Amino acid sequence: MKFEALFKPLQVGPYKLAHRVAMAPLTRMRAERETFAPRPLNAEYYGQRATPGGLIVAEASPVLSHGRGNPATPGIYSEAQIAGWRKVVDAVHAKGGIIFLQLWHVGRVSHSSFHGGALPVSASAIPIRAEGMKAMTVDGKIADYETPRALETAEVKDIVEAFRQGARNALAAGFDGVEIHGANGYLLEQFLQSRSNQRTDQYGGSIENRARLLLEVTQAAIDVWGANRVAVRLSPHGIANDSGEPDPMPLYTHVVKALDKLGLAYLHFIEPRSSGAGRADVHWENVPSAMVLFRPIYSGVLMTAGGFTGETANAAIAQGHADIIAFGRIFISNPDLPRRLQHDYPITPYNRATFYSGEAKGYTDYPVYDELTPA
């Protein structure tokens, strides 16, 4: 067997994983465009990538209609969406797989065209100003990001309740758990980081206050699921979507220690070297490793993602830096990725041009290894 550490069983909450190769949450923009509900094509895609005892984290799904910032991203706030996701879950379960849903609110990483002319919301009225970054509008055009509207204190409580309802809806759809998206410069990270949060209420100022929303949202999901079926994703030292805390270690040390006390299913990092990889192929040099920095202070199951190969993933597990490695881009182009890694079969390269558009092309048309024509 190739990469033995990757193929050791692991207990994650109530679930016994057969291997440590997880599918990372990947925005693909192929939901039904009117209802934002998953459709049969989505069920086929996830079913192709399911394996017995393998963990899939389904793509980020807004918990509110004003939580979206891209066209054709599936939601988890309507009956139609619940029904669509149920078919996805059934396809994964039919293969013996385990599937969590990532709960999402993009905050300021959006455009008023998605919200009937209303401005996107955020922790504070601070726009995205990263050089070269533009918003996609509802009709697929490109525009400057707008200055968001700062949420009122009472509205922040509404965000917590929206995540709670999203967790309930994921349970109704049959998922095995939920992952809270607190990474990549989206709403929960906008509250975490001082450069996007200049509030003066109980959700701003000190590290404890800025972490409050993430922890309240996590507790709301725990209230629905129990802690051992709830996970959180973070991106310390990340720069995606104009994020970036000037001194990340005090903030993320506080957050990781607080999450460690909760008994989560797992904590999920995005490695800084791959921050922003959704928009382009990047591999930042001379940056810290999230798994190395925070493994000593997190006692639970640790997942990490970002530019791993079979060799580096196996080494991370063998050295004790992480317990699960999530793969994204190469899971797109290799629906049988765990088997390919296990047997050292060739890896099919992905086509970035088809990541966020189209139907079956670049989505469900990648073959498994046995179907490849020998060179």
Side-chain angles (χ1 to χ4, degrees):
M1 180 191 297
K2 187 78 169 177
F3 308 133
E4 288 188 9
L6 276 176
F7 290 91
K8 291 181 178 178
L10 178 69
Q11 193 72 31
V12 175
Y15 308 112
K16 182 72 171 288
L17 301 191
H19 57 79
R20 317 293 186 93
V21 180
M23 180 176 166
L26 298 161
T27 295
R28 302 303 309 277
M29 299 187 197
R30 273 144 167 117
E32 207 283 321
R33 288 183 174 268
E34 296 300 320
T35 64
F36 304 108
R39 52 201 179 106
L41 183 69
N42 306 127
E44 179 185 0
Y45 166 77
Y46 282 105
Q48 287 176 341
R49 287 154 182 80
T51 57
L55 176 61
I56 289 175
V57 186
E59 63 206 272
S61 300
V63 296
L64 287 167
S65 61
H66 70 66
R68 70 175 54 257
N70 295 293
T73 51
I76 189 63
Y77 53 83
S78 75
E79 290 299 325
Q81 293 160 6
I82 293 170
W85 275 122
R86 192 174 293 118
K87 293 177 182 178
V88 171
V89 171
D90 288 347
V92 172
H93 286 170
K95 295 279 196 72
I98 298 155
I99 182 166
F100 278 44
L101 180 65
Q102 191 180 67
L103 304 181
W104 195 28
H105 193 304
V106 304
R108 67 179 183 170
V109 191
S110 188
H111 189 270
S112 58
S113 64
F114 286 99
H115 316 299
L119 289 171
V121 297
S122 187
S124 299
I126 300 172
I128 291 173
R129 294 194 176 94
E131 184 177 353
M133 278 195 63
K134 301 283 186 178
M136 179 183 290
T137 68
V138 73
D139 59 4
K141 296 178 181 178
I142 303 300
D144 289 332
Y145 278 108
E146 302 155 305
T147 299
R149 179 179 66 82
L151 287 162
E152 300 292 336
T153 302
E155 292 179 298
V156 179
K157 298 294 185 182
D158 294 338
I159 296 294
V160 176
E161 292 310 308
F163 274 93
R164 188 190 308 275
Q165 187 59 52
R168 291 192 189 108
N169 292 346
L171 185 62
F175 282 96
D176 298 304
V178 292
E179 180 180 290
I180 306 300
H181 199 340
N184 280 351
Y186 296 118
L187 183 65
L188 298 183
E189 193 171 78
Q190 290 160 33
F191 272 80
L192 282 175
Q193 297 188 346
S194 58
R195 60 184 293 192
S196 51
N197 183 346
Q198 297 181 5
R199 302 175 70 91
T200 57
D201 63 1
Q202 65 263 43
Y203 293 98
S206 68
I207 284 174
E208 291 77 9
N209 281 357
R210 285 184 276 127
R212 190 183 306 276
L213 178 57
L214 173 68
L215 296 177
E216 288 183 350
V217 163
T218 303
Q219 186 58 54
I222 289 171
D223 291 345
V224 175
W225 281 92
N228 68 348
R229 294 197 288 171
V230 172
V232 173
R233 196 180 209 198
L234 301 173
S235 54
H237 291 275
I239 58 171
N241 294 313
D242 198 26
S243 63
E245 178 72 0
D247 184 5
M249 286 307 295
L251 170 63
Y252 285 95
T253 297
H254 171 80
V255 171
V256 170
K257 286 183 175 180
L259 294 173
D260 190 41
K261 297 175 183 177
L262 299 180
L264 299 175
Y266 61 85
L267 176 62
H268 186 180
F269 287 129
I270 301 170
E271 289 295 330
R273 65 177 177 239
S274 292
S275 183
R279 293 177 177 266
D281 284 331
V282 298
H283 189 95
W284 305 111
E285 301 288 344
N286 302 314
V287 294
S289 166
M291 63 179 179
V292 172
L293 285 174
F294 296 103
R295 171 80 283 180
I297 64 170
Y298 190 76
S299 61
V301 174
L302 185 64
M303 182 193 298
T304 195
F308 283 93
T309 64
E311 287 81 3
T312 59
N314 193 72
I317 301 294
Q319 293 165 11
H321 295 314
D323 301 298
I324 307 170
I325 305 299
F327 292 85
R329 288 162 287 175
I330 63 170
F331 225 136
I332 289 174
S333 56
N334 296 272
D336 55 338
L337 180 63
R339 179 168 162 268
R340 294 198 192 209
L341 293 175
Q342 187 174 24
H343 298 285
D344 201 22
Y345 293 152
I347 299 297
T348 300
Y350 53 82
N351 178 5
R352 174 171 285 279
T354 62
F355 278 6
Y356 306 116
S357 62
E359 290 289 310
K361 183 175 175 57
Y363 191 62
T364 56
D365 61 347
Y366 285 108
V368 300
Y369 178 72
D370 289 344
E371 296 169 355
L372 294 175
T373 302

